[in-house]
C-alpha cells in the first residue's frame, strides 16, 4: 500500500491510501471510493505487463491518466500535458495497450426475496475502444480479485463496445446496459441550480390549472409532468420521467431555475410534510435534495425581475414574401429569428464559405486546440487549415439539408393590425393595462384581441400575398405547415420554447389565411404577453413573421443540443433525442423519446435512455446520428459566433427518403 502524500491545494495534504495488487472487499471499496450521481465509485488501473492492478484513492487521484503516467511510468505532469492526446490514445484506443482503465461503482436494487441486493458494475470511459477480447480479459481480471459474494456486471461504455459484445453470451460475460442501469433512477438532475421557495404539489394538470392563478415567483411546482404553459416560478420538480430537451426543461434552462426528476417525492412529502412547506431545493450534477425549512425565509426577488431584453427595432415597411434560401441572419428584423436562421443555414450549405472549425480551434488546456481530433473525425491526416475547413463544410453539406419554404414579413401583420380600428383599440387598452400593472384585466384583454385577430377579415392585398406564396393546389394527402417566426423568440435569454403556435394541418392554399391569423394571434396570448413583459420586451416592438412549408413526412425526428445539458463543463458531447415521426412529438412531450450522447471529440456514442420504446435504434441509424451530432457541433462554430462555446438547440427530422433535414436552429440557454 502506498503511503505517499500529494499536494491538493488544501490546507493539509491528503494521505494517499491507493492500493496495489490487493483483492477488493466491500470495506476496502468504501474506504477508497468517492460518490458520483449518488453511487459510490472507485477508479481502477489494470497493468497487464505486471499482472497487477491499482485501486486509486478517489480523494487523491481524480484522473486515471495522471496517476498512470506519473505514479506508474514516472512521467512528470508537464511531460504528460505536452503529449496528452497521444497518451490518451495509448491507454484508451490502442488494441494492444498495456493499461486498462476503468471504474467500479456500487449499486443496490430490490432482490426477488424483497431484500436489498448489492452489486458492482465495471465500466470504462465513454471514449474507450476496447475490443471484445480485451473487455472479456478486463472483466475476468477484476472478477478474480473482487469479493465473490458481490455480483459483478460489465457496463459497455459506448455503442462500439455494445457491438463488440453482441456475440458474447451473458453467462460468459454478465453485463448491464446504461439505460437499464439508470433508466429507473430515483432522482435525475435536468437543470442544475438552487432555489428557496414554497413547494406546491399537484397530481394532475387540472389541479395545477385550478391553482395557477395563485402561484408566484417564490413557488416550486411539483407534478408528474409539468404543462408546457407553466408560468415562471422558482423551480420545477417532475415526479415522472421526462427528457432534458422537453419544452419545460428548455424553459427551466432559459429561466435559470432548478429542475429534476424526483420519483420518490410522494414519500418525501409524506415523511416530512413538504407540500405547502418552505424548502431549499438543490439540483447538482450528482445530487438532488429537498430540505424543509422550519420558517419562511427572507426572500429577495429573483434576478429575472430585473432582467431586461432589448429587441432590435422591427422593420415594418413593405417587404416581399421571400423564399427561405434568400434570407440571411440579418433579416431577423423583417422576417423573425427562426426564418432568418433557416435562411442562414441555406447560405452555409450552398456557399460552403463559412468557417465551421472555430469550436475546435478554442484552447482546451492543456491542449492548444482540437483540430487534430476534428481531422480524425473527418477522416483526414495532417490537413492544412484550408483543407480542414473545406472538409468540414463538405461534411455538413453532405449530411443535412435546409427546408424549403417561404417567409412572410412583419409588414403583412402590421398592415393587417392597422386595418382594423377594433384591433388598434384593443391593443391600446392592453398596453395601458401593462403599463399600469392592472394584472386583473390583462388576460381577458389578451383573449379578446386574440379572438379579433382570428376573425377579422384580412385586407385583400394582404390575403393575396399570402395565398400567392403557394399558388399551386396541393396533391391529395399533401399539406402545409405554418410556423411562427417572431422577433421575440430564439433569443439569448428568451427562448420562447412552446410559446407560439404552429399549424400543421393546412390541406389547401385557401386555408392559409386562417392558419396565418392563428399564428399571429399566438403573439398576443396571455402567457406570451406576460412572459415578455416580465423581461421588458415591449408590445410595440414585438412582431410575428410566418414560415410556410410543405409538410415532409418523417421516419425519425427529434431535437439535439450541442452540449450535455446536465454537465455544463463538458465540451465533448452532443445530446440527442428522437422518436419515430415528427420532432414535435419530442418537444411537446407526446412521447418519452430515445436519448443518446455522442462524443464529437474522440468519437463514439452511447444510449442514455430508450424512453417508451422497447429497443434502441439499429447500429447503422445510430452511426448516422453520430454524423448528425458532429454536424450540429460544426454549425455551432458559425451560428454561435462570436462565442463559439455557446450551444445550439436544433430540431431535425429524417425523411422517408433517408435525408436529414434541419427545421429549426436557435441558441440553447445555459
Amino acid at each position: 500500500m502506498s503511503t505517499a502524500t500529494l499536494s491538493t491545494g488544501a490546507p493539509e495534504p491528503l494521505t494517499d491510501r491507493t492500493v496495489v495488487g490487493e483483492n477488493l472487499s466491500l470495506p476496502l471499496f468504501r474506504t477508497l471510493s468517492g460518490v458520483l450521481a449518488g453511487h459510490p465509485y472507485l477508479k481502477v488501473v489494470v497493468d497487464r505487463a505486471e499482472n497487477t492492478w491499482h485501486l486509486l484513492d478517489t480523494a487523491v487521484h481524480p484522473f486515471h491518466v495522471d496517476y498512470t503516467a506519473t505514479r506508474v511510468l514516472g512521467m512528470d505532469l508537464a511531460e504528460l500535458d505536452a503529449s496528452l492526446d497521444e497518451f490518451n490514445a495509448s491507454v484508451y484506443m490502442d488494441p494492444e495497450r498495456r493499461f486498462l482503465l476503468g471504474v467500479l461503482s456500487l449499486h443496490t436494487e430490490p432482490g426477488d426475496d424483497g431484500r436489498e441486493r448489492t452489486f458492482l458494475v465495471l465500466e470504462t470511459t465513454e471514449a474507450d475502444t476496447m475490443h471484445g477480447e480485451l473487455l472479456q480479459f478486463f472483466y475476468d481480471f477484476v472478477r478474480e480479485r473482487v469479493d465473490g459474494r458481490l455480483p459483478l456486471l460489465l457496463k459497455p461504455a459506448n455503442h462500439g463496445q455494445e457491438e463488440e459484445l453482441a456475440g458474447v453470451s451473458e453467462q460468459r460475460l454478465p453485463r448491464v446496459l446504461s439505460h437499464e442501469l439508470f433508466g429507473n433512477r430515483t432522482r435525475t438532475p435536468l437543470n442544475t441550480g438552487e432555489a428557496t421557495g414554497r413547494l406546491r404539489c399537484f397530481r394532475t394538470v387540472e389541479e395545477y390549472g385550478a391553482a395557477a392563478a395563485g402561484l408566484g415567483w417564490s413557488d416550486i411546482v411539483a407534478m408528474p409532468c409539468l404543462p408546457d404553459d407553466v408560468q415562471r416560478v422558482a423551480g420545477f420538480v417532475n415526479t415522472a420521467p421526462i427528457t432534458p430537451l422537453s419544452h419545460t426543461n428548455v424553459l427551466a434552462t432559459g429561466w435559470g431555475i432548478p429542475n429534476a426528476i424526483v420519483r420518490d417525492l410522494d414519500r418525501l412529502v409524506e415523511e416530512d410534510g413538504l407540500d405547502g412547506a418552505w424548502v431549499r431545493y438543490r439540483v447538482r450534477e450528482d445530487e438532488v435534495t429537498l430540505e424543509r425549512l422550519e420558517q419562511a425565509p427572507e426572500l429577495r426577488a429573483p434576478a429575472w425581475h430585473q432582467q431586461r431584453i432589448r429587441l432590435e427595432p422591427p422593420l415594418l415597411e413593405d417587404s416581399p414574401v421571400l423564399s427561405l434560401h434568400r434570407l440571411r441572419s440579418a433579416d431577423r428584423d423583417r422576417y423573425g429569428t427562426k426564418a432568418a436562421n433557416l435562411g442562414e443555414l441555406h447560405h452555409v450549405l450552398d456557399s460552403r464559405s463559412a468557417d465551421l472549425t472555430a469550436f475546435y480551434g478554442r484552447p482546451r488546456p492543456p491542449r492548444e486546440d482540437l483540430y487534430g481530433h476534428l481531422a480524425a473525425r473527418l477522416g483526414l491526416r495532417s490537413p492544412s487549415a484550408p483543407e480542414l475547413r473545406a472538409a468540414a463544410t463538405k461534411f455538413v453539406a453532405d449530411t443535412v439539408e435546409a427546408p424549403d419554404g417561404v417567409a412572410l414579413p412583419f409588414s403583412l401583420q402590421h398592415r393587417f393590425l392597422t386595418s382594423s380600428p377594433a384591433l388598434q383599440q384593443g391593443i391600446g387598452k392592453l398596453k395601458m393595462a401593462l403599463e399600469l400593472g392592472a394584472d386583473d384585466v390583462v388576460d381577458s384583454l389578451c383573449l379578446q384581441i386574440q379572438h379579433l385577430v382570428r376573425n377579422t377579415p384580412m385586407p385583400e392585398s394582404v390575403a393575396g400575398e399570402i395565398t400567392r406564396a403557394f399558388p399551386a393546389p396541393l396533391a391529395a394527402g399533401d399539406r402545409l405547415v405554418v410556423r411562427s417566426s417572431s422577433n421575440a423568440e430564439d433569443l439569448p435569454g428568451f427562448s420562447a420554447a412552446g410559446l407560439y403556435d404552429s399549424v400543421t394541418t393546412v390541406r389547401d392554399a385557401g386555408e392559409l389565411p386562417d392558419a396565418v391569423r392563428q399564428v399571429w394571434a399566438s403573439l398576443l396570448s396571455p402567457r406570451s404577453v406576460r412572459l415578455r413583459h416580465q423581461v421588458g420586451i415591449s408590445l410595440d416592438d414585438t412582431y410575428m413573421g410566418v414560415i410556410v412549408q410543405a409538410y415532409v413526412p418523417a421516419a425519425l425526428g427529434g431535437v439535439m443540443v450541442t452540449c450535455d445539458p446536465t454537465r455544463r463543463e463538458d465540451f465533448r458531447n452532443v445530446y440527442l433525442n428522437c422518436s419515430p415521426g415528427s420532432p414535435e412529438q419530442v418537444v411537446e412531450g407526446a412521447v418519452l423519446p430515445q436519448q443518446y450522447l455522442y462524443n464529437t471529440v474522440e468519437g463514439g456514442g452511447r444510449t442514455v435512455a430508450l424512453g417508451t420504446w422497447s429497443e434502441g435504434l439499429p447500429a447503422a441509424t445510430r452511426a448516422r446520428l453520430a454524423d448528425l451530432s458532429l454536424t450540429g457541433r460544426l454549425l455551432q462554430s458559425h451560428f454561435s459566433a462570436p462565442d463559439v462555446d455557446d450551444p445550439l438547440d436544433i430540431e431535425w427530422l429524417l425523411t422517408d427518403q433517408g435525408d436529414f433535414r434541419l427545421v429549426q436552429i436557435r441558441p440553447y440557454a445555459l
Side-chain angles (χ1 to χ4, degrees):
M1 180 182 295
S2 171
T3 58
T5 60
L6 297 179
S7 174
T8 63
E12 295 293 335
L14 296 173
T15 299
D16 185 353
R17 297 167 294 187
T18 292
V19 171
V20 180
E22 294 189 15
N23 288 350
L24 180 64
S25 63
L26 193 54
L28 180 58
F29 179 96
R30 295 191 185 280
T31 298
L32 299 174
S33 65
V35 177
L36 183 65
H39 299 284
Y41 78 101
L42 174 65
K43 295 181 177 68
V44 301
V45 175
V46 170
D47 186 341
R48 298 172 72 200
E50 299 293 335
N51 194 36
T52 191
W53 70 339
H54 303 245
L55 307 177
L56 308 192
D57 185 346
T58 304
V60 178
H61 300 294
F63 302 109
H64 291 90
V65 167
D66 287 4
Y67 175 87
T68 304
T70 61
R71 302 301 294 274
V72 182
L73 297 178
M75 301 169 62
D76 60 41
L77 286 177
E79 184 182 358
L80 173 63
D81 287 349
S83 60
L84 182 60
D85 288 331
E86 292 82 358
F87 191 88
N88 280 341
S90 74
V91 295
Y92 292 128
M93 299 171 189
D94 185 347
E96 304 299 327
R97 70 192 76 170
R98 171 182 171 180
F99 299 104
L100 307 180
L101 313 186
V103 170
L104 279 166
S105 54
L106 188 66
H107 300 260
T108 59
E109 66 178 9
D112 295 337
D113 58 359
R115 296 182 179 180
E116 195 172 72
R117 171 178 175 260
T118 301
F119 61 99
L120 287 169
V121 172
L122 174 67
E123 63 182 303
T124 70
T125 68
E126 63 186 28
D128 199 299
T129 61
M130 279 192 201
H131 53 72
E133 290 182 9
L134 211 51
L135 287 166
Q136 185 74 65
F137 176 89
F138 192 28
Y139 175 84
D140 291 342
F141 189 99
V142 174
R143 175 70 280 177
E144 290 175 5
R145 291 160 177 79
V146 170
D147 188 333
R149 293 169 296 181
L150 286 172
L152 175 66
L153 303 176
L154 179 77
K155 180 165 80 68
N158 50 53
H159 293 147
Q161 290 186 4
E162 290 179 21
E163 291 160 17
E164 283 287 324
L165 297 178
V168 180
S169 73
E170 295 201 30
Q171 286 72 32
R172 181 73 183 87
L173 203 167
R175 76 204 68 161
V176 62
L177 301 181
S178 179
H179 64 267
E180 296 170 337
L181 186 63
F182 297 117
N184 294 316
R185 184 183 294 175
T186 302
R187 301 182 190 178
T188 304
L190 295 172
N191 192 58
T192 56
E194 180 175 331
T196 298
R198 185 178 52 165
L199 185 66
R200 302 293 303 276
C201 300
F202 305 103
R203 290 170 294 181
T204 65
V205 173
E206 289 74 22
E207 280 189 9
Y208 166 81
L215 297 175
W217 58 263
S218 60
D219 289 313
I220 298 170
V221 176
M223 56 192 300
C225 185
L226 287 94
D228 281 352
D229 63 353
V230 63
Q231 66 189 72
R232 197 163 189 171
V233 290
F236 296 157
V237 182
N238 301 267
T239 59
I242 67 164
T243 165
L245 303 189
S246 66
H247 269 156
T248 51
N249 196 54
V250 171
L251 290 174
T253 304
W255 292 342
I257 63 174
N259 187 21
I261 301 169
V262 183
R263 289 184 166 187
D264 61 341
L265 184 67
D266 287 345
R267 178 183 64 80
L268 296 178
V269 166
E270 183 177 350
E271 291 178 356
D272 300 330
L274 295 182
D275 190 12
W278 291 94
V279 300
R280 182 172 290 111
Y281 177 34
R282 292 190 178 99
V283 178
R284 298 188 175 94
E285 291 178 357
D286 59 354
E287 186 180 35
V288 179
T289 59
L290 280 159
E291 173 192 358
R292 179 179 177 131
L293 304 177
E294 294 306 318
Q295 58 185 10
E298 293 185 11
L299 297 177
R300 295 180 179 178
W304 56 264
H305 267 225
Q306 287 76 45
Q307 181 184 16
R308 289 296 177 263
I309 293 176
R310 295 287 178 249
L311 301 182
E312 298 174 7
L315 300 181
L316 303 178
E317 63 268 18
D318 282 348
S319 300
V321 175
L322 288 180
S323 296
L324 288 174
H325 73 268
R326 296 181 60 187
L327 300 183
R328 294 292 301 275
S329 59
D331 291 314
R332 62 173 57 92
D333 55 4
R334 292 188 299 156
Y335 295 89
T337 311
K338 191 179 299 179
N341 283 349
L342 289 177
E344 188 70 17
L345 176 62
H346 273 280
H347 170 74
V348 169
L349 298 180
D350 294 340
S351 71
R352 304 195 182 189
S353 60
D355 178 9
L356 303 183
T357 68
F359 174 88
Y360 290 85
R362 283 282 175 91
R364 311 289 174 182
R367 305 167 183 86
E368 293 184 3
D369 56 61
L370 298 175
Y371 286 139
H373 288 281
L374 175 58
R377 301 283 70 74
L378 297 175
L380 303 176
R381 296 187 64 181
S382 302
S384 65
E387 288 172 338
L388 186 63
R389 291 174 183 171
T393 55
K394 182 179 186 303
F395 179 87
V396 169
D398 289 346
T399 304
V400 299
E401 299 176 1
D404 293 326
V406 299
L408 310 184
F410 297 159
S411 58
L412 288 182
Q413 185 202 22
H414 179 67
R415 283 160 56 190
F416 168 72
L417 294 176
T418 55
S419 72
S420 167
L423 277 170
Q424 290 296 293
Q425 184 180 31
I427 292 172
K429 290 180 179 178
L430 178 59
K431 291 177 185 175
M432 183 66 69
L434 291 170
E435 290 173 6
L436 297 176
D439 292 345
D440 55 332
V441 299
V442 166
D443 286 10
S444 61
L445 284 172
C446 287
L447 293 173
Q448 292 171 20
I449 298 169
Q450 283 191 288
H451 178 79
L452 282 172
V453 170
R454 294 190 188 102
N455 292 279
T456 297
M458 282 188 183
E460 289 186 8
S461 61
V462 174
E465 289 192 48
I466 292 173
T467 54
R468 284 194 295 274
F470 275 85
L474 296 175
D478 287 350
R479 66 181 196 255
L480 299 175
V481 177
V482 181
R483 308 183 73 197
S484 67
S485 181
S486 171
N487 62 338
E489 63 179 322
D490 299 351
L491 303 172
F494 192 77
S495 73
L499 201 58
Y500 306 125
D501 286 351
S502 293
V503 182
T504 63
T505 56
V506 177
R507 301 287 181 179
D508 183 88
E511 299 175 6
L512 262 179
D514 287 343
V516 170
R517 280 184 297 201
Q518 181 172 331
V519 174
W520 283 344
S522 66
L523 191 70
L524 293 155
S525 70
R527 183 167 179 260
S528 69
V529 168
R530 285 185 180 278
L531 288 177
R532 292 195 304 268
H533 185 65
Q534 287 173 353
V535 297
I537 297 177
S538 168
L539 201 60
D540 285 329
D541 293 335
T542 310
Y543 276 84
M544 179 68 79
V546 176
I547 299 170
V548 184
Q549 301 164 289
Y551 174 80
V552 177
L556 195 68
V559 181
M560 67 173 164
V561 293
T562 56
C563 66
D564 180 347
T566 62
R567 294 185 61 215
R568 301 184 181 187
E569 77 285 355
D570 180 6
F571 60 84
R572 289 176 163 84
N573 285 297
V574 165
Y575 196 92
L576 187 146
N577 284 3
C578 61
S579 68
S582 77
E584 279 78 11
Q585 291 188 92
V586 174
V587 297
E588 293 173 1
V591 297
L592 194 60
Q594 296 190 17
Q595 303 171 42
Y596 298 93
L597 274 172
Y598 286 96
N599 185 325
T600 60
V601 177
E602 290 87 4
R606 57 191 172 96
T607 303
V608 177
L610 293 183
T612 55
W613 315 103
S614 59
E615 59 184 33
L617 296 169
T621 304
R622 294 200 307 257
R624 295 205 62 200
L625 293 181
D627 289 346
L628 178 65
S629 299
L630 180 56
T631 293
R633 176 69 81 207
L634 293 170
L635 289 172
Q636 182 178 335
S637 293
H638 181 75
F639 283 91
S640 295
D643 190 351
V644 295
D645 277 344
D646 288 343
L648 298 177
D649 177 343
I650 300 175
E651 290 185 24
W652 58 273
L653 57 85
L654 181 64
T655 69
D656 291 339
Q657 290 72 42
D659 302 316
F660 280 120
R661 191 163 297 182
L662 307 188
V663 296
Q664 183 167 335
I665 298 180
R666 60 187 175 193
Y668 181 73
L670 282 180

